[in-house]
Amino acid sequence: MTFREFKSEAENVVEEALKRSSYPTVEFNLSEPAEEHYGDLASNIAFQIAKDLRRPPMKIAEDIARLIDLSRSNLIQDVSADPPGYINFRLNYKALAERLLPSIQSSDGVKVADLGKGAKVTVEHTSVNPNKALHIGHLRNVAIGDAVYRLLKHSNYNVKVLNYIDDSGAQVADILVGFLHLNYPQEPPSDVKFDHYCGDTIYVKVNEMYEQNPNLLEKQRQILKELEDPASKISEFAKSITSKILIEQLKTCWRFGVRYDCLNFESHIVHSRLWDRVFKELKEKGIVKYAEDGRLKGCWIVEVEGEEEGEEKVLVRADGTTTYVAKDIPYAAWKIGLVEDPFNYIEYVKQPDGSPLWATDLNQGFKKTDFYGAEKTIVVIDVRQSRLQRIIKAVLSQLSKGVEDRYIHLGYAVVSLSPQTAKEMGFSEEERLLHMSGRKGIYLNADDVLDALKKKALEETVKRNPNESLEWCERVSESIAVAALKFDLLKQDLDKIVIFDLNKSLRLEGDTGPYILYSYVRACRILEKADEEDIAPTTTNINITTPTEKKLLKDLSKFDLIVEEAARNLSPKTLARYTIDLSTSFNNFYESAPVLSCSDAAIRGTRLMLVRGFKSVLGKAIDLLGLPKVERM
RNA sequence: GGGCCCGUGGCCUAGCAUGGAUCAAGGCGUCGGCCUUCGGAGCCGAAGAACAGGGGUUCAAAUCCCCUCGGGCCCGCCA
């Protein structure tokens, strides 16, 4: 918001000084010094010049610093050359406060850079097979996808969120086998959600039975065959089951604070014959080849860039059916507008935030242009799918130039169970982390984890709020649980495996979501009391004095730079880390700079503005991460 | 066998894109402090002294390059 201006002022004065000097023009950068006491920004320009001229950097830094003219700068307090050759700039905190604080007294004033200029982008995430409940691993996908959506939307992209529903695969047939051939009742026990029932009981049991009873596998194949006809009785039955599961899954996602724009059903993509059109073009352009002989005789295959011969991927089997990856190609082509839209759209359900959730349909509904033909499309899927995603992208690139930049696979490492949790749950006795498996029943259901977190938060909330109703405490605890889990899944690098430990992840202290919420609540309390005591913020006589005030102010001023970085790199982690840092700065300020009891009116008023500004900025950061907010806890 | 990713104090992580400053930063855990002060889900301090190992590039490497080791994932006419 203004750190950006400080930075560009510093850039300008260095460039101008360089022009006035006898030194050659070079590229340089400005970064924050390792230690606060060096200043607020440092230029490495002297090192860059020293490299070319083979002269001591310190001398060069001194020469340039001497030529720097600050007369037209507002936010630079002073500048110095320091060993071994840095040019350090210090912020004029009073000027920064006067510029920044009035603008962020309400959340409307907290602006984010316009990166998107309204460009149409789709983000696909969640995409859980509709035969089971979401587990903790799925939640990483959901949290990342939702945060990316929020980051892009606020950076002025026109973002639509897609959720791909594979309603015609073998996993769905497995559930049908359970109902039709193992006589599972169609209603779950009264205290069990339908998605849990299908996933925890039927899916796992059916897969166990396949091993003992090969006949059952034959039944599954039969069901799959019958599912190909959308008008068949079994298709209708499948649809009723998958819809029931899907709605339960959506409830979990809504509980997690997530929304979507459109459900894309695989069965619709298959029956739309999109594949035929794309396949025809792939053949005409020679992108797919027919294997005349060899191991893959009779198949249509593509070569995979960067892989050895003999590693070709089959798109169409010898029997004429399409493979998994082939099914994704027309869908991806649809997303970026390489094919016409064959779908109608119906309003599937109203979401808790009031927005409609649309779904593809082949018969009824309207035509809509919102969901296909995006400038960029981002698909959030774990890294195990990287090779397939690369193949899809490569095939599309051959159909149309420029697809490389428009089709983006956002991969992330999986969530695994810690040895302790694996033992506690009775999944394993080994001292190593355990990968989850829906088929084997090795996972923790998302709802169960949230419930456990909520229970823990509730104990604390009730203890701290003896005068509040149980309903109130429950509501707050639910928010704390969601914030804790979501933040835990967002805060680390996408390339790193999340080792989920039931006990450790139930933490409410330290680098956690509750820490952030707690900081927010503290700010709310101060503002509430200030209101009661009729203490108004200063707007004319701003006075920044202490180190913790300065640090908080500086952190606030960086918000838009951080959001920009996070949005550009599709990196929720970047914002998550900032949010912790900002909260820490506030808590330090809170300990050392009393607001309401401060006797100096100007200082008190300034601090109050800082608290308000903090509430606005942190509130925005919380929104962008997709965490729930609470005003008391 | 080929490809991708990870390896930072006892444990978990940030920093790596764009190499630089005397102490490489947080959290957890351990030990010790801080409520007559806006809420202690907080703050302060201490101990531990660590960028997997080796080589290279550079005035300067946790960061770039190469090799080795350890761990994970992917490599099906399954999805």
Side-chain angles (χ1 to χ4, degrees), chain A residues 305-326:
Chain A
E305 206 184 300
E307 292 186 10
E308 307 273 317
E309 202 161 325
E311 301 276 311
E312 297 91 350
K313 186 72 196 165
V314 173
L315 295 189
V316 179
R317 302 180 189 102
D319 68 4
T321 56
T322 52
T323 57
Y324 175 67
V325 64

Side-chain angles (χ1 to χ4, degrees), chain A residues 232-243:
Chain A
S232 68
K233 246 198 149 90
I234 197 123
S235 284
E236 207 157 299
F237 181 57
K239 197 175 170 188
S240 77
I241 297 295
T242 52
S243 315

Side-chain angles (χ1 to χ4, degrees), chain A residues 203-221:
Chain A
Y203 185 50
V204 172
K205 193 70 194 166
V206 166
N207 274 285
E208 273 175 33
M209 295 292 283
Y210 283 154
E211 309 214 340
Q212 313 163 9
N213 184 354
N215 267 347
L216 267 190
L217 263 178
E218 192 45 46
K219 301 282 187 200
Q220 186 221 37
R221 257 172 249 132

Side-chain angles (χ1 to χ4, degrees), chain A residues 10 19 42 58 71 80 135 238 245 345 360 414 417 440 460 597:
Chain A
K19 272 184 215 153
M58 189 56 207
S71 62
S80 62
H135 62 57
I245 295 173
Y345 298 89
T360 53
V414 295
L417 301 177
K440 293 181 192 153
E460 195 66 28
S597 61

Side-chain angles (χ1 to χ4, degrees), chain A residues 477-497:
Chain A
S477 303
E478 171 78 9
S479 292
I480 293 169
V482 170
L485 188 52
K486 232 176 172 179
F487 189 82
D488 202 46
L489 293 170
L490 287 176
K491 74 179 176 193
Q492 73 188 328
D493 198 283
L494 298 183
D495 288 335
K496 284 191 172 154
I497 293 175

Side-chain angles (χ1 to χ4, degrees), chain A residues 578-591:
Chain A
Y578 166 80
T579 307
I580 283 286
D581 291 344
L582 180 64
S583 299
T584 300
S585 292
F586 176 74
N587 283 319
N588 285 321
F589 162 84
Y590 184 95
E591 297 287 336

Side-chain angles (χ1 to χ4, degrees), chain A residues 164 166-169 227-228 230 265-276 322 327 330-331 343 362:
Chain A
Y164 180 77
D166 183 353
D167 58 343
S168 55
L227 282 174
E228 283 171 20
F265 287 97
E266 180 175 83
S267 60
H268 296 154
I269 295 166
V270 170
H271 295 135
S272 72
R273 309 313 244 159
L274 263 187
W275 167 250
D276 296 346
T322 52
K327 283 184 210 166
Y331 177 48
F343 304 120
L362 291 174

